[in-house]
Amino acid sequence: MPEGPDGALLRRLRTRAGMTLADLAGAARIGVRTLGDVERGVARRPQRATLEALADALGAGPDERAALLRIGRARAATSSTAPDVVADFTGRDDEVRRIVDRLRAGAGAGAGKGAGAGAVVVIAGGPGIGKSALAAEALRTSRGRWLHVDLAGQSETPLSALDVVRRLVTLATAGAEEAPTGFDAATARWRELRDAHGHAVLLDDAVDEAQVRSVTGAGGSGGPVVVTSRRLLAGLDADLRITVGPLSETDGTALLGRMVPDATHDPALRALAGRCAGVPLALRVAGGRIAAPGADVDGFLQAMLAEELRIGALRHGSLSVEAAFSASYRRLPQTTARVFRSLAVIDGTTFDAQVGGAALGLDEPTAEDALEELVDLGLLEPRGGNRYHVHDLLRAFAADRLTEEDGSAATGAWRERLHRSLLATVTVAASRFAPASEHRAAADPAALQVSADPVAARAWIVTEVDHWWPAFRSSAECDSPEARAEVVGLATGLQWFSNLWPAWGRWYDVFGAAVDAARAIGDRGASSRLLGLQTWAALMERGDRAGALDLATAGLADAAAAGDVAVTANAEYHVAWAHLALRQPLLALPHIDAAIDGNTRAGDDAALVQCRSMAGAALHLLERHDEAIEVFRAVLVDLGRAPAGDPGAAFTRVVALEEIAKSANAIGRWDEAREAAEAGLGAATEMAWDIGAARALRQRAEAALGAGDVDDAAADAQRGIALVDDERADAQAVAVLGGLQELLQRTGHQAS
């Protein structure tokens, strides 16, 4: 809302004098925030001495001085029953519209029996989130006047239900009538006044439903009732419920800009708004601090960047973010308070009850009860899918409480317990994707519950990556042999799942950290295998073919140091793969032969299938397509002997079918290519491998285009494009998408 005419006068005089807010505040010897409040109309009744000082500093003439002094008298005439309506109210457009619509709809329904009958609106949200300001703005827009009762919900002595109706009687009669002292009589008198005059009511900061039910559930023909509370008040019968969340960064920046106009174009203002986490109270404190004489945005931002200083920095005059948070925190039962403090060690943006209780070793039902109580008190935000979110300022407050009440030793112990649980869980989940011939992770008491269903296991790994990835990095930074062995084991276990989620973009780092860990404990065999996995990541994530060859060559050197035939064969395989990626099939062939020889001696039939597949890829690059097709059909026969549900065999099957289609397309055998591509599409779809399906669709489209079925080719290309998330930046996805788009252009069709 723009400043009122009085504020406009003061700003016009200041601008004419060529003075900033800080200049005028300094000359008048008043605070910049005080001056800003007067300009914006926030100060309810500026003192005469303040206005005299401003007039003197501005060199105001007699008429201008008189106009300035009238600001104080005009503000004094405002209703004493209304809370402050902030002149710089920012954002919340949708919430204001919904509340106003509800209040006005109530007014229409009550026509002829008292304006605004029956509408009850509940506005809930955490401490400092701007519930009261939102309520006042909506009432100002729809009504103009209302009765306001501060219910003191966060104090040690909240108003009783009797206190509430007695105060409403006093306000409704402008103090001319003493309210009855009995509950029934006071309630009856309030209803008479309400029905007669249609008063709108704002019940601010309710502690529970019982405190306000005598007002909201009274029936009759009175005006609307708006209730604000940190609790959800789910037991209250309401026509509209609004749960208020943080402001967007854009709105937060705009609010700071309105509070400190001279800093509007300072690029640090947006960063400061971000550090305030969209909490209006924090933004108002920050605005007051940077508007003070001698203060600046950059200096205050630096204080806010330090996590341990952030809450302490957000204090200005009577406003304190810490005090607002503490009022809710003090009401928590012991277990719930411990759960709240434990949120400080959680890394992810959102979390479920299992993760939320892991730091304390709580079972899921106990943790969920505590988390729901935190939601009810506005100290936690509910998110979809039974997940929760705690914004950065509350997390910082939780960290302060954790250090103060439990000590740094508890902080470390809770974080370690959480990380141990997460790493145990991701190990179990990753094992769902390992071939049957490999060791499956045994049950770990520290692990959270994850379904044996691969779909559910995949969902857990992807959804909780913001939790287990920091735990992995923390473990990788430890220098204990146990931690390093855990990193090696987990990275090795994730190799099969990584094929299903190459878009993550961190596999290169995962396998690289594990290489370092393996070398630190002197396990050259493990480091060689992990360098092979990092070679895959270099190709699939980064598209770094030269770098992939360097990694594979280092893996071959580590394999030689380990002296293990199977490890050496694996390293030879990855060197061959890197050469093929560089389109050097002649250089790849000797390494393929060495890999086949080594795996034959080691008796590793599954690895032999992979090596034969690699040989087929080399033949394709050498344009020996008939031989390549023959090799890949033999690979399919070998895969038919693999155990049912073997994920390694499933991946190889999709690739083999794609390679058959590629070679068949290269020599114009369109039906053969289409048949192989269709089989590959079915296999990729069954294992939920979108990129594999997109690759199969590309080959089927190539076959259709070669056979003259242009529309079919375009349809397959468009379907393949739709399977590839256009926000993916990994090299494999970029290459597949580019190939499909080029093919679509050749059909003469446009992307749909």
Side-chain angles (χ1 to χ4, degrees):
M1 181 170 77
E3 72 272 4
D6 297 322
L9 167 65
L10 179 56
R11 176 173 291 192
R12 186 168 62 253
L13 294 175
R14 175 174 64 82
T15 303
R16 188 182 68 186
M19 303 174 78
T20 65
L21 279 170
D23 293 337
L24 180 54
R29 298 182 180 276
I30 64 174
V32 176
R33 176 62 188 273
T34 299
L35 173 58
D37 286 349
V38 175
E39 280 200 2
R40 298 191 313 278
V42 174
R44 295 194 59 183
R45 187 178 182 182
Q47 296 181 358
R48 182 182 179 88
T50 298
L51 297 171
E52 289 278 11
L54 288 170
D56 291 341
L58 288 166
D63 292 342
E64 292 166 343
R65 179 180 293 270
L68 286 172
L69 294 180
R70 281 197 296 271
I71 295 176
R73 294 193 294 274
R75 301 280 167 78
T78 62
S79 170
S80 62
T81 63
D84 288 340
V85 176
V86 292
D88 51 15
F89 185 87
T90 303
R92 313 282 195 209
D93 294 344
D94 181 63
E95 291 93 335
V96 170
R97 177 190 57 76
R98 290 173 62 197
I99 297 171
V100 168
D101 287 349
R102 178 63 262 177
L103 297 180
R104 287 175 174 167
K113 56 176 183 176
V120 175
V121 175
V122 174
I123 302 175
I129 208 68
K131 302 178 293 295
S132 300
L134 172 60
E137 178 67 13
L139 284 165
R140 180 199 66 79
T141 302
S142 64
R143 306 282 302 191
R145 294 182 62 84
W146 62 92
L147 304 181
H148 169 249
V149 180
D150 184 348
L151 304 178
Q154 304 311 309
S155 72
E156 295 299 324
T157 55
L159 298 190
S160 67
L162 172 59
D163 292 331
V164 174
V165 291
R166 292 191 77 232
R167 292 200 181 187
L168 285 171
V169 170
T170 300
L171 290 170
T173 60
E177 180 180 318
E178 184 174 351
T181 56
F183 179 77
D184 290 342
T187 301
R189 180 56 182 147
W190 158 243
R191 291 176 180 175
E192 290 174 358
L193 293 167
R194 178 206 62 188
D195 291 347
H197 302 288
H199 292 297
V201 175
L202 170 55
L203 301 179
D204 204 12
D205 193 20
V207 67
D208 57 28
E209 292 90 342
Q211 191 183 27
V212 299
R213 190 169 279 122
S214 59
V215 180
T216 64
S221 56
V225 180
V226 180
V227 184
T228 73
S229 178
R230 296 189 183 190
R231 292 187 178 275
L232 298 176
L233 302 183
L236 209 61
D237 188 13
D239 298 285
L240 175 66
R241 292 182 180 279
I242 297 284
T243 299
V244 185
L247 292 173
S248 68
E249 188 173 278
T250 298
D251 286 340
T253 305
L255 176 56
L256 286 175
R258 298 183 72 178
M259 294 180 69
V260 193
D262 293 338
T264 300
H265 301 296
D266 190 328
L269 208 62
R270 177 170 289 273
L272 178 56
R275 301 306 287 183
C276 289
V279 177
L281 175 59
L283 291 161
R284 292 195 176 281
V285 170
R289 290 287 299 273
I290 63 178
D296 63 87
V297 180
D298 289 324
F300 186 67
L301 177 59
Q302 290 308 308
M304 289 284 287
L305 289 176
E307 185 80 19
E308 66 275 10
L309 299 179
R310 196 184 314 178
I311 293 295
L314 288 170
R315 185 181 297 112
H316 181 65
S318 62
L319 299 179
S320 168
V321 170
E322 183 175 19
F325 291 171
S326 294
S328 288
Y329 177 74
R330 286 194 300 268
R331 294 182 170 276
L332 299 178
Q334 183 177 2
T335 298
T336 306
R338 292 183 74 233
V339 170
F340 175 74
R341 297 196 298 275
S342 76
L343 300 182
V345 304
I346 293 179
D347 297 290
T349 303
T350 68
F351 52 92
D352 63 7
Q354 282 201 92
V355 173
L360 299 177
L362 300 177
D363 59 68
E364 187 173 1
T366 302
E368 187 171 28
D369 287 346
L371 293 170
E372 287 299 321
E373 188 160 11
L374 291 174
V375 168
D376 194 39
L377 277 169
L379 292 174
L380 198 61
E381 297 175 47
R383 294 293 173 90
N386 296 319
R387 298 185 72 80
Y388 305 91
H389 169 74
V390 56
H391 65 65
D392 288 346
L393 287 183
L394 278 170
R395 192 190 299 269
F397 176 70
D400 284 353
R401 292 293 85 220
L402 176 55
T403 302
E404 180 71 22
E405 299 182 32
D406 302 281
S408 57
T411 302
W414 291 8
R415 179 174 283 110
E416 183 178 350
R417 181 186 289 158
L418 172 64
H419 285 181
R420 178 75 191 87
S421 178
L422 292 166
L423 293 178
T425 308
V426 75
T427 299
V428 172
S431 73
R432 312 294 192 213
F433 304 93
S437 58
E438 293 194 9
H439 172 68
R440 296 294 181 104
D444 188 326
L448 305 176
Q449 292 184 354
V450 179
S451 170
D453 176 24
V455 175
R458 175 179 180 171
W460 192 93
I461 295 173
V462 173
T463 302
E464 308 301 349
V465 66
D466 288 345
H467 300 287
W468 66 258
W469 171 232
F472 178 90
R473 287 186 298 174
S474 178
S475 187
E477 291 168 1
C478 291
D479 56 7
S480 73
E482 295 79 12
R484 286 168 171 164
E486 183 176 45
V487 166
V488 170
L490 178 53
T492 301
L494 281 165
Q495 64 171 307
W496 295 103
F497 177 76
S498 63
N499 285 287
L500 286 173
W501 196 29
W504 179 38
R506 295 292 183 86
W507 296 115
Y508 188 94
D509 299 326
V510 167
F511 299 132
V515 168
D516 294 340
R519 285 177 169 172
I521 58 178
D523 190 342
R524 284 308 204 48
S527 66
S528 175
R529 288 190 177 278
L530 288 161
L531 280 163
L533 298 177
Q534 198 175 19
T535 298
W536 168 87
L539 292 171
M540 295 296 147
E541 279 186 349
R542 300 189 171 192
D544 183 1
R545 299 176 181 180
L549 181 58
D550 290 341
L551 290 168
T553 302
L556 188 57
D558 278 8
D564 184 285
V565 172
V567 170
T568 301
N570 181 71
E572 293 279 11
Y573 170 87
H574 284 94
V575 172
W577 189 7
H579 277 303
L580 290 180
L582 290 165
R583 305 192 74 78
Q584 298 170 342
L586 292 177
L587 294 177
L589 286 174
H591 295 285
I592 295 172
D593 290 340
I596 290 174
D597 177 65
N599 284 313
T600 300
R601 287 190 287 131
D604 192 336
D605 292 337
L608 275 172
V609 173
Q610 299 290 332
C611 292
R612 291 176 184 134
S613 182
M614 187 73 70
L619 291 170
H620 175 84
L621 287 177
L622 291 169
E623 298 186 1
R624 293 159 59 179
H625 298 299
D626 285 314
E627 294 174 72
I629 291 172
E630 184 178 346
V631 166
F632 280 113
R633 292 207 177 278
V635 165
L636 290 176
V637 171
D638 290 337
L639 291 173
R641 293 189 285 269
D646 187 315
F651 280 112
T652 305
R653 182 176 292 107
V654 173
V655 172
L657 289 164
E658 179 191 14
E659 291 291 340
I660 290 171
K662 283 169 61 178
S663 284
N665 275 325
I667 55 180
R669 286 158 40 180
W670 313 120
D671 290 341
E672 183 178 5
R674 184 176 294 186
E675 181 183 1
E678 286 177 355
L681 176 61
T685 301
E686 184 177 351
M687 60 187 295
W689 186 21
D690 289 345
I691 287 294
R695 286 161 52 172
L697 282 165
R698 178 183 175 185
Q699 296 309 317
R700 193 169 75 173
E702 290 281 8
L705 186 61
D709 299 329
V710 178
D711 290 341
D712 287 349
D716 274 349
Q718 289 174 334
R719 182 179 168 189
I721 288 170
L723 284 174
V724 184
D725 186 345
D726 57 10
E727 294 185 0
R728 283 184 56 169
D730 57 288
Q732 181 182 202
V734 170
V736 171
L737 188 60
L740 285 163
Q741 290 170 336
E742 184 273 334
L743 193 155
L744 185 62
Q745 288 180 346
R746 283 191 278 130
T747 68
H749 288 67
Q750 299 296 319
S752 57

